[in-house]
């Protein structure tokens, strides 16, 4: 984890907070929809998960047996998920509605499948910030679910079968569990905690049965139950669920065998001598990608960098130096180099990525193939934002603002204003303008960011509030700052409980707020609360020294200099150990 300036400590912590939340909020495309012969094309050697054509080929293969068979739905969901990941929401909706129409017309009892399609549409609209349309789809799903669950909303067996009467068909237990997990969130939102709890537990039991003790699919149900118990004031059960969630997430990160990494790097060095790459070379490349993903989960940039570099070298040889297929690893490298403070390298990689995106339209048009890297896609917009952050760290605020505005314009054009990423973009512009001393513009951007992000029930919303709270704190608007910090802390407490590092950082900033007003005892109390959380985790060690120094300053103001001296010594020791 890179060192962070104190004024940006909350913003940086967002990355850490999303290690778990990214697993939880994957959306419709996270489902394992595909099954059967046509689904096997997803795992074939020529299947490219970043190519639209690969998904369209799946659909065409399934359509051979007819345009309205239920089996085709699996392929349609894969295609819809691809479009959603690319920010092509209208196309995703069109494909999902086709899937819905197939289940509505299919013979037999398909209530749960129809309900599932409405939940997927609700998730799609939520991803765009279209709350009203999302609610409409959720309400349709809720009505179907109540029929399946019976008058007492407790007939989980009938729900799993997906039909009324005595028709028994448990052929899709994982699908039923995923539907139960999605539906539980809707009941929870409507305040029906008992039904939500039953559905979450059914999903967890099913995942345990079919996938063993630790599965990424469990994360959403575990987090949902932790939040549900906190909402009910059941702190003991909430803590137990949060503990299990944390343990599961840590277990899923895996471990890295450095000897294996060294062997793979050696093998891939030999592979660079081959032209073209052999089947063995391609297998080495696949293993390197798996290792790279595990390293990134461990936030170990120094060890991940040579692996990512070697992957890029092999992919360049496989596809060419200007291929859009390099995009995913280029983004990975940009993130690594930025975290390591290698700003010149990160900047060059951003510019290379954008140049490939710019040229990919002409290439795809000339070959009449589908676009592999749309220059106006969310992927490209995200790289523009990454470049803006690099420019910010170079203190080139004018260029950072200009670049982030390009990213924002692209997102507004392709997806409209009610997107989470648009809210984040406004918040970044607020930060850049604030540092450029354009305070009126900064406040306007921050407020726009919050107005969008608070519509989404995600951990990042609290971070956006903290950014504006810190802005008001630095401007001396203490009352406004305190209101926002309290809102942020309440949201974080609800979502992740009292031991969340993000909550600790916001609490520390509230301490600074009191310190600036001369309320040193209150400041010290907040700092102590923050430290008690941060010191429980090795991942937060780089953040701890700054709060120790804040605590020492408060103690000095209270004339408790001996205690202050001890805290400063601890802070210095931690800084030297990093």
């Amino acid at each position: 984890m890179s060192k962070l300036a104190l004024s940006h400590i909350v913003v940086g912590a967002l990355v850490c907070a999303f290690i778990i939340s990214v697993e939880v909020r994957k959306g419709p495309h996270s489902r394992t929809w595909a099954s059967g012969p046509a689904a096997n094309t997803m795992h074939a050697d020529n299947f490219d998960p970043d190519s639209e054509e690969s998904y369209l080929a799946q659909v065409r293969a399934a359509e051979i047996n007819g345009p309205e068979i239920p089996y085709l739905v699996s392929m349609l969901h894969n295609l819809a998920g691809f479009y959603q990941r690319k920010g092509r929401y209208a196309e995703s909706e069109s494909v999902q509605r086709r899937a819905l129409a197939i289940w509505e017309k299919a013979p037999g009892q398909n209530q749960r499948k129809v309900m599932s399609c409405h939940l997927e549409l609700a998730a799609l609209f939520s991803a765009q910030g279209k709350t009203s349309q999302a609610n409409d789809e959720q309400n349709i799903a809720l009505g179907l679910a109540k029929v399946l669950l019976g008058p007492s909303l407790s007939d989980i067996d009938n729900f799993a079968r997906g039909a009324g009467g005595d028709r028994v068909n448990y052929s899709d237990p994982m699908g039923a569990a995923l539907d139960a997990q999605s539906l539980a969130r809707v009941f929870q939102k409507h305040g029906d905690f008992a039904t939500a709890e039953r559905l979450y537990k059914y999903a967890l039991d099913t995942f345990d049965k079919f996938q063993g003790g630790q599965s990424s699919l469990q994360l959403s149900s575990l987090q949902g139950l932790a939040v549900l118990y906190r909402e009910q004031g059941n702190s003991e059960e909430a803590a137990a669920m949060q503990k299990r969630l944390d343990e599961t997430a840590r277990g899923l990160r895996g471990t890295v065998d450095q000897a294996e990494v060294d062997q793979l790097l050696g093998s891939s060095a030999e592979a660079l001598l081959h032209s073209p790459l052999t089947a063995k070379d391609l297998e080495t490349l696949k293993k390197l990608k798996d290792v790279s993903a595990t390293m990134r989960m461990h936030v170990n940039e120094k060890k991940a960098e040579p692996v990512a570099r070697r992957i890029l070298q092999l992919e360049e040889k496989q596809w060419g130096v200007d291929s859009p297929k390099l995009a995913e690893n280029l983004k990975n490298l940009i993130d690594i180099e930025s975290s390591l403070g290698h700003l010149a390298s990160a900047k060059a990689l951003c510019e290379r990525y954008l140049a490939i995106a710019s040229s990919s339209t002409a290439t795809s048009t000339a070959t009449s193939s589908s676009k592999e890297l749309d220059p106006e896609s969310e992927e490209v917009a995200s790289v523009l934002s990454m470049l803006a952050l690099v420019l910010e760290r170079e203190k080139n605020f004018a260029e950072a603002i200009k670049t982030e505005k390009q990213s924002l314009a692209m997102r507004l054009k392709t997806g409209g204003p009610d997107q989470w990423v648009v809210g984040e973009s406004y918040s970044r512009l607020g930060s850049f303008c604030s540092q450029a001393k354009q305070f009126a513009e900064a406040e306007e951007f921050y407020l726009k960011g919050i107005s969008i992000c608070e519509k989404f029930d995600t951990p990042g919303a609290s971070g956006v509030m903290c950014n504006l709270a810190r802005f008001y704190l630095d401007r001396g608007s203490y009352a406004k700052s305190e209101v926002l910090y309290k809102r942020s802390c309440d949201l974080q407490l609800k979502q992740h409980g009292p031991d969340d590092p993000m909550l600790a950082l916001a609490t520390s900033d509230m301490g600074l707020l009191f310190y600036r007003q001369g309320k040193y005892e209150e400041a010290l109390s907040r700092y102590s609360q923050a430290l008690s959380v941060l010191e429980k985790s090795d991942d937060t060690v780089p953040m701890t020294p700054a709060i120790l120094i804040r605590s020492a300053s408060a103690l000095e103001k209270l004339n408790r200099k001996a205690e202050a001296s001890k805290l400063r010594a601890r802070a210095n020791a931690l800084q030297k150990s990093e």
Side-chain angles (χ1 to χ4, degrees), residues 483-539:
V483 168
L484 282 166
Y485 275 131
K486 285 181 176 178
R487 283 175 60 192
S488 174
C489 288
D490 288 346
L491 183 57
Q492 290 170 45
L493 184 63
K494 172 187 172 184
Q495 291 172 330
H496 289 297
D499 293 330
D500 178 48
M502 281 288 289
L503 176 58
L505 293 169
T507 301
S508 173
D509 265 10
M510 282 195 76
L512 182 60
L513 172 67
F514 291 127
Y515 180 90
R516 294 270 182 90
Q517 297 174 80
K519 301 175 181 179
Y520 304 122
E521 289 284 4
E522 291 179 71
L524 188 60
S525 174
R526 301 286 179 167
Y527 296 149
S528 297
Q529 290 175 37
L531 287 170
S532 68
V533 173
L534 294 179
E535 290 173 345
K536 294 177 183 177
S537 171
D538 292 337
D539 291 342

Side-chain angles (χ1 to χ4, degrees), residues 247-559:
E247 289 174 348
T248 302
R250 281 195 296 270
L252 291 170
R253 294 182 189 181
T255 57
V256 175
D257 184 339
Q258 190 58 46
E260 180 188 7
V261 173
D262 293 340
Q263 183 180 6
L264 287 170
L265 288 174
S267 300
S268 59
E270 294 175 12
L272 292 171
L273 301 174
H274 303 156
S275 186
L277 297 179
T278 67
K280 183 178 179 181
D281 299 335
L282 294 174
E283 179 62 24
T284 298
L285 175 58
K286 180 180 181 300
K287 289 180 179 178
L288 281 170
K289 287 183 176 181
D290 292 341
V291 167
S292 177
T294 302
M295 284 179 161
R296 294 295 291 140
M297 287 296 287
H298 281 284
V299 201
N300 192 336
E301 287 86 358
K302 284 186 178 180
K303 292 184 177 180
E305 183 187 22
V307 175
R309 286 279 178 192
R310 186 57 52 82
I311 291 170
L312 181 61
Q313 289 177 321
L314 291 169
E315 288 183 338
E316 286 172 339
K317 188 154 191 178
Q318 184 183 10
W319 294 316
V321 295
D322 296 323
S323 171
K325 294 180 179 181
L326 305 178
E328 181 180 355
N329 195 52
L330 281 173
K331 280 186 73 173
N332 185 29
L333 260 175
I334 293 166
D335 190 32
I336 291 172
E337 298 290 18
S338 296
S339 297
L340 291 171
H342 301 166
L343 301 185
S345 176
K347 187 175 180 180
L349 288 165
C350 286
E351 290 169 348
R352 180 180 175 187
Y353 183 105
L354 295 170
I356 291 174
S358 179
S359 64
S360 74
T361 301
T363 303
S364 63
T365 301
T367 60
S368 70
S369 64
S370 300
K371 294 180 184 178
E372 294 182 83
L373 187 59
D374 186 342
E376 293 188 342
S377 66
E378 171 54 33
E379 283 90 342
V380 176
S382 70
V383 172
L384 282 169
S385 290
M386 294 168 88
L387 177 57
L389 288 168
V390 171
L391 292 166
E392 176 203 24
R393 292 173 69 181
E394 292 180 338
K395 308 298 182 185
N396 190 347
F397 301 123
E399 282 300 312
I401 292 168
K402 178 181 176 182
T403 304
E404 188 61 45
K405 283 183 175 179
Q406 283 182 265
S407 174
L408 175 61
M410 192 178 293
R411 285 163 166 154
L412 289 170
K413 179 180 177 181
T414 57
D418 292 326
Q419 304 177 73
W420 167 260
V421 288
V422 170
E424 280 189 313
S425 192
Y426 278 125
S427 186
R428 277 190 293 273
L429 281 169
S431 175
F432 300 159
C433 287
S434 177
Q435 293 172 82
K437 302 191 185 305
Q438 300 172 13
F439 299 126
E441 294 90 338
E443 182 178 16
E444 182 181 351
F445 283 131
Y446 275 134
L447 289 170
K448 284 183 177 180
I450 286 181
S451 70
I452 294 171
C453 289
E454 66 184 353
K455 297 176 184 177
F456 298 84
D457 187 22
T458 66
S462 57
V464 174
M465 291 177 191
C466 279
N467 292 341
L468 181 55
R470 183 57 191 260
F471 173 81
Y472 284 139
L473 171 60
D474 291 339
R475 308 276 80 71
S477 300
Y478 299 134
K480 290 181 179 179
S481 179
E482 185 171 354
V483 168
L484 282 166
Y485 275 131
K486 285 181 176 178
R487 283 175 60 192
S488 174
C489 288
D490 288 346
L491 183 57
Q492 290 170 45
L493 184 63
K494 172 187 172 184
Q495 291 172 330
H496 289 297
D499 293 330
D500 178 48
M502 281 288 289
L503 176 58
L505 293 169
T507 301
S508 173
D509 265 10
M510 282 195 76
L512 182 60
L513 172 67
F514 291 127
Y515 180 90
R516 294 270 182 90
Q517 297 174 80
K519 301 175 181 179
Y520 304 122
E521 289 284 4
E522 291 179 71
L524 188 60
S525 174
R526 301 286 179 167
Y527 296 149
S528 297
Q529 290 175 37
L531 287 170
S532 68
V533 173
L534 294 179
E535 290 173 345
K536 294 177 183 177
S537 171
D538 292 337
D539 291 342
T540 58
V541 167
M543 309 171 197
T544 303
I547 302 177
L548 286 169
I549 291 170
R550 287 182 176 182
S551 300
S553 297
L555 286 167
E556 286 164 353
K557 291 291 185 180
L558 294 167
N559 204 29

